[in-house]
Amino acid sequence: MKTDIEIAHSIKMKHIREIASFLGLSEEDIELYGRYKAKIPLDFIDFEKVKKSKLILVSAITPTPAGEGKTTTSIGLTQALNRLGKKTTVVLREPSLGPVFGVKGGAAGGGYSQVVPMEDINLHFNGDFDAVEKAHNLLAALIDNHIHQKNDDLKIDPRTIHWKRVIDMNDRSLRNVVVGLGGKEHGVPRETGFDITAASEIMAILCLADDINDLKKRLGNIFVGYSLDKKPVFAKDLKANGAMAALLKDAIKPNLVQTLEGNPAIIHGGPFANIAQGTNSVIATRMGLSLSDYVVTEAGFGFDLGAEKFFDIKCKYANLSPHAVVLVATIRALKMHGGLGLKEISKPAPEFVEKGLENLEKHIENMMLFNVCPVVALNKFPTDTEEEIEIVRQKCKDLNVKFALSEVWEKGGEGGLELAEHVIDAVEKCNSVFEPLYDWNWSVELKIETIAKKIYGARAIDYLPHAKKDLKNIYKLGFDKLPICMAKTQKSLSDNPKLVGRPKDFVITVREIQIASGAGFIIPITGDIMRMPGLPKHPAAEAIDIDENGNIVGLF
């Protein structure tokens, strides 16, 4: 059996001008990054066309180490829709080097449902992550420089600065650091740390901005900390937002590549869903809707994380309304949610599939809270038995939810035709209109409680002393009307990664609440979630190499 990278190398890619032509763009309209990549200028966003095109969101059940294949399904569905005559573009996030070199590996799909060139997409893709990192760290440098240069103008209190530095790598050693050591000529010593670039507020801002002017405004609204006389300090007070926006002048443009079947793929931005909003940029989604009739996009991790934030944050800011939602599940993951160990999931175990259905059912219930039309896609693996598949099919029938067996990893677009037909049927016949879960004008506590109780199934919320203090500051600063971007483990509906399936009678613990006033949301930090991941004992980086001909090997 070929690996993903071997399959990607076996396909002859089209020149990117052919992909652009499919979207109605000439070679002069795009900015070439070699033969197979390009950026699309923002001028081609057509707001009238955006209103008319169809948006399909792909989400998943609670992820497990067994994998669900959400990106693979998104790409395969796009290829299937194009086979059925629907002009479709897939719009995805960019991969972070943290997961690429860590546990997860690449994020360009798999099998015969990939976006290519997969090596370029997974490694330094067109420099967007680098630009975000540089813009973020420029603000950090300006903050420390202001303090070093006598701090006369703003009188920033170093103890209140929450703005860390970022790097696009899993490096737990950088979570907590001290800067400014070595004498007064090297700065003022203070405690700080590093987050991963995908967790940067700059990344969140890039993915929510309407255009360069909105980007610059949002950058200026970044909350830095307080002055010694308790006044809030923002990035615009440091005159930082203009230079930061200049570093992002190319990164704000969405990237055009292709699927293995030569369909257009727009890939832009990369916030994680467990610590940020977890969806690609508003600009990229609008661009896809402007240039095609259908857009398939995904939201990170399970429906409780990426999809909830997609609806309550992105769709509200961008005035978007999905026409259908696909929920991806696997037999393997359902077995794990039923209590089976990872080493046993390849063996037939219909009783564990039955037990694991409670996780699928909860996510379907969550979809209904937003008044959207769901379709369940069972991502098929060779070890799945007909008996196990039938259990899931019957459950969906009992819940009156459309079900499709997806074989897009093995067969590409052909393996997603049943799924595509169900999606088209939902788009054309379902009269439901998306509704957000909560009103932004509600109190912060009520918004958090609504998400925790209705989406996660929590019994109560416990605010630790730090979080209570943060709440007071949020109200004092007037940020209480912002939406909520929960930071929570992706491994469970609860904030305890060990509770699989459908946990009940649990309490969500909020440790602190961070302000992302530039992005336009506030971030309750729950459980033990961290914004800088670590590497496993055997990182994926150990298998990645380059041969004498310059070919990357070992990516998956």
Side-chain angles (χ1 to χ4, degrees), residues 14 18 54 59 67 104 187 190 207 220 226 306 324 355 400 404 514:
K14 297 178 180 179
E18 294 185 55
K54 309 302 181 184
S59 186
K104 188 172 180 286
R190 67 178 183 89
C207 289
Y226 290 97
K355 291 178 183 177
N400 196 28
Q514 298 180 355

Side-chain angles (χ1 to χ4, degrees), residues 159-160 226 230 463-477 510-513 515:
R159 298 167 298 180
T160 67
Y226 290 97
K230 309 300 183 185
Y463 293 94
L464 298 187
H466 194 311
K468 292 178 180 178
K469 181 180 177 182
D470 291 336
L471 272 172
K472 291 180 181 178
N473 289 334
I474 287 167
Y475 281 104
K476 184 177 179 180
L477 291 167
V510 179
R511 294 193 343 252
E512 60 178 299
I513 306 176
I515 298 169

